[in-house]
Tab-separated table of all heavy atoms in Angstrom:
chain	number	residue	atom	x	y	z
O	151	PRO	N	106.374	85.746	112.279
O	151	PRO	CA	105.137	85.310	112.861
O	151	PRO	C	105.211	84.199	113.904
O	151	PRO	O	104.356	84.098	114.766
O	151	PRO	CB	104.304	84.872	111.668
O	151	PRO	CG	105.325	84.435	110.652
O	151	PRO	CD	106.537	85.336	110.879
O	152	GLY	N	106.231	83.318	113.841
O	152	GLY	CA	106.318	82.217	114.743
O	152	GLY	C	105.175	81.219	114.540
O	152	GLY	O	104.334	81.409	113.655
O	153	TRP	N	105.119	80.163	115.385
O	153	TRP	CA	104.045	79.182	115.244
O	153	TRP	C	103.803	78.446	116.540
O	153	TRP	O	104.539	78.590	117.497
O	153	TRP	CB	104.359	78.197	114.125
O	153	TRP	CG	105.434	77.211	114.395
O	153	TRP	CD1	105.293	75.948	114.947
O	153	TRP	CD2	106.826	77.316	114.096
O	153	TRP	NE1	106.501	75.296	115.014
O	153	TRP	CE2	107.478	76.101	114.528
O	153	TRP	CE3	107.606	78.325	113.549
O	153	TRP	CZ2	108.859	75.903	114.381
O	153	TRP	CZ3	108.983	78.138	113.434
O	153	TRP	CH2	109.590	76.934	113.842
O	154	THR	N	102.705	77.675	116.562
O	154	THR	CA	102.368	76.872	117.765
O	154	THR	C	102.688	75.407	117.487
O	154	THR	O	102.213	74.845	116.519
O	154	THR	CB	100.882	77.029	118.092
O	154	THR	OG1	100.598	78.424	118.393
O	154	THR	CG2	100.494	76.172	119.308
O	155	GLU	N	103.496	74.826	118.355
O	155	GLU	CA	103.958	73.443	118.222
O	155	GLU	C	103.258	72.577	119.267
O	155	GLU	O	103.112	72.973	120.446
O	155	GLU	CB	105.457	73.397	118.445
O	155	GLU	CG	106.103	72.034	118.290
O	155	GLU	CD	106.388	71.634	116.830
O	155	GLU	OE1	106.289	72.506	115.953
O	155	GLU	OE2	106.721	70.453	116.629
O	156	ILE	N	102.863	71.371	118.881
O	156	ILE	CA	102.254	70.394	119.758
O	156	ILE	C	103.335	69.473	120.281
O	156	ILE	O	104.074	68.847	119.509
O	156	ILE	CB	101.153	69.573	119.039
O	156	ILE	CG1	100.089	70.505	118.470
O	156	ILE	CG2	100.517	68.577	120.027
O	156	ILE	CD1	99.005	69.781	117.711
O	157	ARG	N	103.415	69.336	121.584
O	157	ARG	CA	104.325	68.426	122.241
O	157	ARG	C	103.767	66.974	122.191
O	157	ARG	O	102.555	66.799	121.968
O	157	ARG	CB	104.591	68.785	123.687
O	157	ARG	CG	105.219	70.149	123.905
O	157	ARG	CD	105.482	70.345	125.404
O	157	ARG	NE	106.151	71.619	125.696
O	157	ARG	CZ	105.499	72.717	126.113
O	157	ARG	NH1	104.193	72.694	126.241
O	157	ARG	NH2	106.193	73.817	126.382
O	158	PRO	N	104.605	65.969	122.424
O	158	PRO	CA	104.125	64.581	122.438
O	158	PRO	C	102.994	64.335	123.420
O	158	PRO	O	102.135	63.450	123.247
O	158	PRO	CB	105.378	63.781	122.768
O	158	PRO	CG	106.506	64.612	122.267
O	158	PRO	CD	106.092	66.024	122.522
O	159	ASP	N	102.971	65.099	124.549
O	159	ASP	CA	101.920	64.913	125.550
O	159	ASP	C	100.639	65.641	125.220
O	159	ASP	O	99.684	65.623	126.011
O	159	ASP	CB	102.439	65.307	126.950
O	159	ASP	CG	102.738	66.808	127.069
O	159	ASP	OD1	102.486	67.554	126.075
O	159	ASP	OD2	103.220	67.235	128.114
O	160	GLY	N	100.619	66.317	124.080
O	160	GLY	CA	99.404	67.008	123.629
O	160	GLY	C	99.355	68.472	124.014
O	160	GLY	O	98.506	69.205	123.475
O	161	SER	N	100.214	68.917	124.886
O	161	SER	CA	100.258	70.331	125.236
O	161	SER	C	100.946	71.105	124.080
O	161	SER	O	101.555	70.510	123.199
O	161	SER	CB	101.020	70.543	126.525
O	161	SER	OG	102.379	70.129	126.422
O	162	THR	N	100.829	72.425	124.133
O	162	THR	CA	101.398	73.237	123.060
O	162	THR	C	102.368	74.285	123.614
O	162	THR	O	102.270	74.625	124.801
O	162	THR	CB	100.298	73.940	122.234
O	162	THR	OG1	99.578	74.845	123.117
O	162	THR	CG2	99.340	72.974	121.614
O	163	HIS	N	103.228	74.766	122.750
O	163	HIS	CA	104.071	75.894	123.168
O	163	HIS	C	104.355	76.734	121.934
O	163	HIS	O	104.248	76.284	120.797
O	163	HIS	CB	105.385	75.374	123.801
O	163	HIS	CG	106.279	74.662	122.861
O	163	HIS	ND1	107.451	75.193	122.383
O	163	HIS	CD2	106.177	73.421	122.300
O	163	HIS	CE1	108.075	74.300	121.591
O	163	HIS	NE2	107.311	73.243	121.526
O	164	ARG	N	104.713	77.949	122.173
O	164	ARG	CA	104.984	78.893	121.084
O	164	ARG	C	106.448	78.805	120.694
O	164	ARG	O	107.335	78.761	121.537
O	164	ARG	CB	104.677	80.326	121.598
O	164	ARG	CG	104.619	81.373	120.467
O	164	ARG	CD	103.435	81.145	119.598
O	164	ARG	NE	103.455	82.118	118.448
O	164	ARG	CZ	102.713	81.972	117.372
O	164	ARG	NH1	101.921	80.924	117.279
O	164	ARG	NH2	102.772	82.842	116.385
O	165	VAL	N	106.660	78.807	119.388
O	165	VAL	CA	108.026	78.715	118.852
O	165	VAL	C	108.320	79.998	118.053
O	165	VAL	O	107.524	80.430	117.233
O	165	VAL	CB	108.202	77.498	117.903
O	165	VAL	CG1	109.592	77.491	117.297
O	165	VAL	CG2	107.927	76.186	118.657
O	166	GLU	N	109.477	80.573	118.320
O	166	GLU	CA	109.923	81.757	117.604
O	166	GLU	C	111.203	81.415	116.833
O	166	GLU	O	112.177	81.015	117.399
O	166	GLU	CB	110.219	82.895	118.557
O	166	GLU	CG	109.021	83.302	119.423
O	166	GLU	CD	107.839	83.846	118.634
O	166	GLU	OE1	108.058	84.315	117.525
O	166	GLU	OE2	106.740	83.782	119.205
O	167	ARG	N	111.141	81.453	115.528
O	167	ARG	CA	112.283	81.224	114.639
O	167	ARG	C	112.315	82.347	113.587
O	167	ARG	O	111.278	82.935	113.265
O	167	ARG	CB	112.204	79.849	113.954
O	167	ARG	CG	112.497	78.685	114.865
O	167	ARG	CD	113.991	78.669	115.265
O	167	ARG	NE	114.337	77.437	115.944
O	167	ARG	CZ	114.158	77.190	117.213
O	167	ARG	NH1	113.565	78.078	117.995
O	167	ARG	NH2	114.560	76.043	117.757
O	168	ARG	N	113.488	82.570	113.028
O	168	ARG	CA	113.685	83.688	112.097
O	168	ARG	C	113.700	83.185	110.688
O	168	ARG	O	114.638	82.549	110.234
O	168	ARG	CB	114.946	84.433	112.433
O	168	ARG	CG	114.900	85.316	113.660
O	168	ARG	CD	116.284	85.834	114.025
O	168	ARG	NE	117.038	86.301	112.882
O	168	ARG	CZ	116.940	87.538	112.349
O	168	ARG	NH1	116.091	88.406	112.875
O	168	ARG	NH2	117.679	87.879	111.339
O	169	ALA	N	112.639	83.513	109.912
O	169	ALA	CA	112.655	83.254	108.479
O	169	ALA	C	113.734	84.038	107.813
O	169	ALA	O	114.328	83.596	106.795
O	169	ALA	CB	111.305	83.555	107.889
O	170	ALA	N	114.107	85.159	108.359
O	170	ALA	CA	115.174	86.001	107.793
O	170	ALA	C	116.504	85.264	107.723
O	170	ALA	O	117.345	85.582	106.863
O	170	ALA	CB	115.319	87.271	108.614
O	171	ASP	N	116.711	84.306	108.609
O	171	ASP	CA	117.942	83.540	108.613
O	171	ASP	C	118.098	82.639	107.380
O	171	ASP	O	119.188	82.123	107.137
O	171	ASP	CB	118.034	82.690	109.881
O	171	ASP	CG	118.222	83.497	111.137
O	171	ASP	OD1	118.627	84.695	111.031
O	171	ASP	OD2	117.990	82.992	112.244
O	172	PHE	N	117.025	82.464	106.602
O	172	PHE	CA	117.072	81.683	105.379
O	172	PHE	C	117.329	82.516	104.170
O	172	PHE	O	117.602	82.030	103.045
O	172	PHE	CB	115.783	80.902	105.191
O	172	PHE	CG	115.622	79.750	106.119
O	172	PHE	CD1	115.092	79.913	107.394
O	172	PHE	CD2	116.007	78.473	105.732
O	172	PHE	CE1	114.926	78.849	108.273
O	172	PHE	CE2	115.877	77.392	106.605
O	172	PHE	CZ	115.354	77.595	107.862
O	173	GLY	N	117.237	83.842	104.336
O	173	GLY	CA	117.462	84.748	103.185
O	173	GLY	C	116.337	84.691	102.214
O	173	GLY	O	115.208	84.301	102.524
O	174	ASP	N	116.633	85.070	100.966
O	174	ASP	CA	115.639	85.135	99.879
O	174	ASP	C	115.476	83.765	99.274
O	174	ASP	O	116.150	83.432	98.269
O	174	ASP	CB	116.044	86.172	98.845
O	174	ASP	CG	116.059	87.577	99.388
O	174	ASP	OD1	115.573	87.776	100.523
O	174	ASP	OD2	116.538	88.498	98.697
O	175	VAL	N	114.595	82.963	99.832
O	175	VAL	CA	114.436	81.569	99.388
O	175	VAL	C	113.785	81.514	97.982
O	175	VAL	O	113.091	82.417	97.572
O	175	VAL	CB	113.587	80.764	100.368
O	175	VAL	CG1	114.256	80.657	101.731
O	175	VAL	CG2	112.177	81.389	100.526
O	176	VAL	N	114.022	80.420	97.302
O	176	VAL	CA	113.472	80.200	95.954
O	176	VAL	C	112.010	79.733	96.097
O	176	VAL	O	111.724	78.750	96.794
O	176	VAL	CB	114.294	79.157	95.162
O	176	VAL	CG1	113.582	78.809	93.851
O	176	VAL	CG2	115.673	79.695	94.876
O	177	LEU	N	111.102	80.404	95.377
O	177	LEU	CA	109.713	79.996	95.339
O	177	LEU	C	109.351	79.421	93.952
O	177	LEU	O	108.335	78.733	93.844
O	177	LEU	CB	108.788	81.165	95.652
O	177	LEU	CG	108.915	81.751	97.072
O	177	LEU	CD1	107.836	82.813	97.288
O	177	LEU	CD2	108.837	80.705	98.144
O	178	GLY	N	110.170	79.718	92.982
O	178	GLY	CA	109.956	79.171	91.625
O	178	GLY	C	111.259	78.740	91.021
O	178	GLY	O	112.096	79.620	90.736
Side-chain angles (χ1 to χ4, degrees):
W153 72 90
T154 300
E155 182 83 11
I156 303 177
R157 298 184 177 98
D159 65 4
S161 63
T162 63
H163 67 108
R164 192 69 184 164
V165 176
E166 303 296 337
R167 286 291 190 277
R168 285 171 44 84
D171 290 343
F172 287 85
D174 294 351
V175 296
V176 172
L177 297 186

